[in-house]
Amino acid sequence: MKISLGCDHGGFAMKEHIKSWLESHGYEVQDCGCYSTESVDYPVYGRAAAEAVASGACERGIVVCTTGIGISITANKVKGIRCALCSEPLSAEMTRRHNDANMLAIGGGMIGPNMADRIVETFLNTEFEGGRHQRRVDLISAIEA
């Protein structure tokens, strides 16, 4: 599975941690930046990561800023993206099972690396349940039209 990653300066350290975790677990990574702690604008990198998922170049995406809020809002502006901000594994599980979220947002200043590992692992290993949830995902997608 190929995963797009995007972050701003506030999420850089966590993005690098997640990137290392992904690679050590056999995932292919498309790093959409940023590439240092120099101040940048999160919409640039959230959009790039989301567009990689929306285009099909990546199967899922993960974005990180200090809180995860701004970069998740940005990702969700890209047609076809369902990005969920998660701070613990249960939310990551449920957003995959019920919402078929294709992107995960994490607040790099809100949680530590061990929790991030568990959230990422849960997000990537949980399948969408379909069924009644598909109807709801379709209704979400219809709003974008």
Side-chain angles (χ1 to χ4, degrees):
M1 184 183 300
K2 187 171 183 179
I3 311 298
S4 71
L5 291 180
C7 72
D8 70 354
H9 55 283
F12 176 73
M14 182 63 75
K15 181 205 72 167
E16 291 297 301
H17 172 82
I18 292 169
K19 181 178 178 179
S20 176
W21 186 94
L22 290 168
E23 291 172 342
S24 73
H25 285 80
Y27 293 93
E28 186 178 353
V29 173
Q30 180 175 323
D31 188 341
C32 299
C34 74
Y35 306 104
S36 74
T37 57
E38 182 179 332
S39 183
V40 296
D41 299 320
Y42 61 82
V44 173
Y45 303 98
R47 179 180 184 177
E51 287 177 343
V53 174
S55 73
C58 295
E59 294 170 71
R60 300 227 187 114
I62 302 170
V63 289
V64 188
C65 66
T66 301
T67 64
I69 298 168
I71 206 160
S72 67
I73 292 170
T74 300
N76 279 314
K77 295 293 184 181
V78 175
K79 186 175 182 176
I81 296 303
R82 290 174 307 283
C83 182
L85 172 58
C86 298
S87 59
E88 35 66 39
L90 181 58
S91 294
E93 176 187 348
M94 297 307 289
T95 199
R96 284 290 307 133
R97 289 176 59 194
H98 290 190
N99 311 123
D100 197 20
N102 51 12
M103 291 193 72
L104 170 67
I106 290 179
M110 305 287 115
I111 62 168
N114 290 334
M115 182 62 74
D117 293 349
R118 292 184 59 211
I119 293 167
V120 168
E121 181 175 31
T122 301
F123 180 78
L124 295 176
N125 290 311
T126 302
E127 294 298 322
F128 177 51
E129 289 182 1
R132 71 186 189 278
H133 304 294
Q134 184 61 60
R135 182 178 72 250
R136 295 164 186 156
V137 170
D138 291 343
L139 288 168
I140 292 169
S141 296
I143 294 169
E144 297 175 338

